[in-house]
Amino acid sequence: MTTSSRPLSTTHEVEAKEVRKIAFSAFIGTALEWYDFFLFGTASALVFNHLYFAGNAPATATLASFAAFGVGFLARPLGAVFFGKLGDKWGRRPALILSIVVIGLATGLVGCLPDYFSIGIAAPILLTALRLFQGVAVGGEWGGATTLAIEHAPARKRGRYAALVQMGSPIGTLMSSGAFALVFMLPAETVDVWGWRLPFLAAFPFLGIALWIRLQVEESPVFQQLAEEAEENQGSLAELFRGYTPQIFWATCAALLGIGGFFVMTTYILSYGTTVLGLERQSLVNATVIAAAVEIFILLIFGRVAERLGAHKVIVVGGALTAIFAWPIWKLIDTGNLIFVSLAIVVGISLVSIPYAVIGVLLGHMFEAKLRYTGMAISYNFSGAIAGLLPFIATWMNGFYEKQSSTPAIIILIAISLLTMVGGIYGGRHYITDDVQVKEA
């Protein structure tokens, strides 16, 4: 086991008001970035399969659409390396500004992209390329936003500030699902012709808002000292992988359920519900909106719980509960009853959100300052790369059944829950000593 006496933050005193400002900025930027990223997931399940992969059979088109969706996750480790090095060497702020510009432009351009019927095979190729840029940008976003928040937060309040950053996920879901819920109120032919483009085009004004917010946040004295120390004693990827291999592995496992479970309970269910159960697209999207609203409270509650019990214990509990309830949740979904399906989506997303609420705290304690942005980003996005392929894997596994089944989703959900439990247990054994002192306002 690798340990260190390196503190999580410096011993500068930081006004609580400044801490809240930094955390709020991280939350807003993350929410807008996740809005952009989740749009693609919803569109992959409901629109892209027949507009951009129309030359294939329906099942193959869905697989191709999910494969393009997964490309964004595979690209995230690349973004983690690039933005992690940028953030550790030149500062968290410039890295976060660049990441939000890249993802905003890539998302807006998706709304401008001609479909398969207009430009043929070039359409899915360009769509996948834009998804690639999305993935690279998001790969650098979370690590920087979470690092900023926890490095400045009081030790006893770190759970709530990390959870505040995580709230960007359900807010982004609410925005993206809400946008599509409004779009699906249009006639079906209108949705396919131009209606689906509106949420993507909205990324352009959202980019302006997020960029303005990010530019308002100055580097605090705490971060200035961290940057100076990093410049004098610059960490490297070789040092990270040589000295922190166990941390990277266990951190990747610990983050898996919060990311992968979410996409099983949203992106895959949207596809499964419409193609297998015959439910309406809008009804399923509405259910994810409700679930995202509930998730906000789950994140806040368990962020506070982590401050008392420890983030690793919360992660273990979340993994255990999800493993136990995976089968009942999917049996409710298989009823095809919209009320039961909606209830299952809400419960499922709530359970996978328990470990997601505090993963930033756990990962932040596992890497010292000079390698923290890169270490957190790489671990989290290794997990994200796996998570992004889960809808594809579940759909592929279903091809081995004569009749579409929920069994693949149940197996996947239990497997990643158990991995997260183990990650939480061993991740908690790699905590770095923390002596941060933050002055209350």
Side-chain angles (χ1 to χ4, degrees):
M1 180 177 71
T2 301
T3 59
S4 171
S5 60
R6 182 76 168 178
L8 175 62
S9 297
T10 69
T11 55
H12 268 303
E13 294 186 339
V14 182
E15 295 288 350
K17 182 178 180 181
E18 182 65 18
V19 176
R20 289 191 292 269
K21 178 181 177 182
I22 292 169
F24 180 73
S25 169
F27 155 68
I28 292 295
T30 303
L32 294 178
E33 292 230 17
W34 281 121
Y35 165 79
D36 292 347
F37 203 69
F38 290 155
L39 278 181
F40 204 103
T42 303
S44 293
L46 304 177
V47 177
F48 291 159
N49 54 341
H50 61 270
L51 290 182
Y52 284 87
F53 302 93
N56 303 304
T60 305
T62 300
L63 275 173
S65 183
F66 280 150
F69 174 68
V71 163
F73 287 89
L74 292 175
R76 286 169 63 169
L78 298 176
V81 172
F82 174 77
F83 285 100
K85 291 300 296 179
L86 178 63
D88 282 331
K89 183 173 184 179
W90 301 107
R92 280 50 160 156
R93 183 173 176 268
L96 289 172
I97 290 173
L98 179 59
S99 70
I100 208 164
V101 170
V102 173
I103 195 173
L105 291 177
T107 304
L109 289 174
V110 170
C112 304
L113 188 64
D115 59 26
Y116 180 87
F117 302 102
S118 300
I119 60 174
I121 192 65
I125 292 174
L126 291 173
L127 182 68
T128 303
L130 290 173
R131 178 62 172 177
L132 184 69
F133 280 107
Q134 271 195 333
V136 169
V138 171
E141 165 63 24
W142 183 87
T146 307
T147 299
L148 267 179
I150 65 173
E151 281 181 345
H152 296 81
R156 64 184 178 279
K157 295 183 178 180
R158 196 160 289 136
R160 70 191 69 181
Y161 285 112
L164 181 62
V165 177
Q166 300 300 75
M167 280 174 56
S169 174
I171 295 298
T173 302
L174 281 171
M175 293 169 62
S176 60
S177 297
F180 266 108
L182 292 174
V183 166
F184 287 141
M185 296 175 67
L186 298 170
E189 60 274 12
T190 302
V191 172
D192 286 345
V193 173
W194 57 265
W196 70 268
R197 298 179 181 277
L198 297 179
F200 286 91
L201 293 174
F204 288 129
F206 286 164
L207 169 60
I209 296 172
L211 187 58
W212 179 79
I213 292 173
R214 285 275 161 89
L215 290 171
Q216 301 306 305
V217 176
E218 298 292 335
E219 302 284 18
S220 70
V222 172
F223 180 74
Q224 290 286 2
Q225 180 171 324
L226 284 173
E228 291 170 4
E229 291 177 355
E231 186 173 347
E232 296 171 0
N233 188 19
Q234 192 63 215
S236 66
L237 285 176
E239 180 182 355
L240 177 67
F241 283 100
R242 184 174 59 249
Y244 289 85
T245 300
Q247 286 91 328
I248 293 172
F249 178 76
W250 295 124
T252 299
C253 291
L256 193 55
L257 180 60
I259 309 172
F262 180 86
F263 285 105
V264 170
M265 296 305 305
T266 54
T267 301
Y268 182 68
I269 282 183
L270 288 175
S271 174
Y272 185 85
T274 53
T275 60
V276 178
L277 303 179
L279 297 173
E280 294 181 355
R281 295 183 297 184
Q282 184 172 1
S283 298
L284 291 172
V285 171
N286 290 343
T288 63
V289 171
I290 296 172
V294 174
E295 184 185 4
I296 294 173
F297 296 98
I298 297 295
L299 295 176
L300 291 174
I301 291 170
F302 283 93
R304 293 294 188 95
V305 171
E307 294 171 358
R308 293 179 175 271
L309 300 182
H312 60 294
K313 293 180 181 179
V314 171
I315 288 172
V316 171
V317 169
L321 289 175
T322 306
I324 292 170
F325 285 96
W327 187 86
I329 286 171
W330 276 92
K331 291 300 107 178
L332 279 178
I333 292 170
D334 278 339
T335 65
N337 181 291
L338 184 58
I339 295 177
F340 288 156
V341 172
S342 299
L343 176 62
I345 291 174
V346 172
V347 173
I349 290 179
S350 296
L351 291 176
V352 303
S353 297
I354 294 174
Y356 185 72
V358 298
I359 191 63
V361 180
L362 178 66
L363 270 60
H365 279 279
M366 293 171 70
F367 301 94
E368 61 179 305
K370 66 178 181 178
L371 293 167
R372 183 169 297 127
Y373 194 143
T374 307
M376 290 179 65
I378 287 178
S379 303
Y380 186 82
N381 288 294
F382 275 166
S383 182
I386 299 170
L389 294 176
L390 295 183
F392 173 87
I393 293 172
T395 302
W396 172 75
M397 290 173 63
N398 249 325
F400 294 96
Y401 293 83
E402 292 185 6
K403 183 180 179 181
Q404 294 284 305
S405 169
S406 61
T407 301
I410 296 173
I411 293 173
I412 289 173
L413 201 55
I414 291 176
I416 62 177
S417 296
L418 296 178
L419 285 171
T420 290
M421 287 179 62
V422 176
I425 292 171
Y426 284 94
R429 298 179 182 179
H430 288 87
Y431 259 41
I432 290 173
T433 302
D434 174 32
D435 61 1
V436 62
Q437 298 293 325
V438 179
K439 182 177 67 177
E440 297 293 333

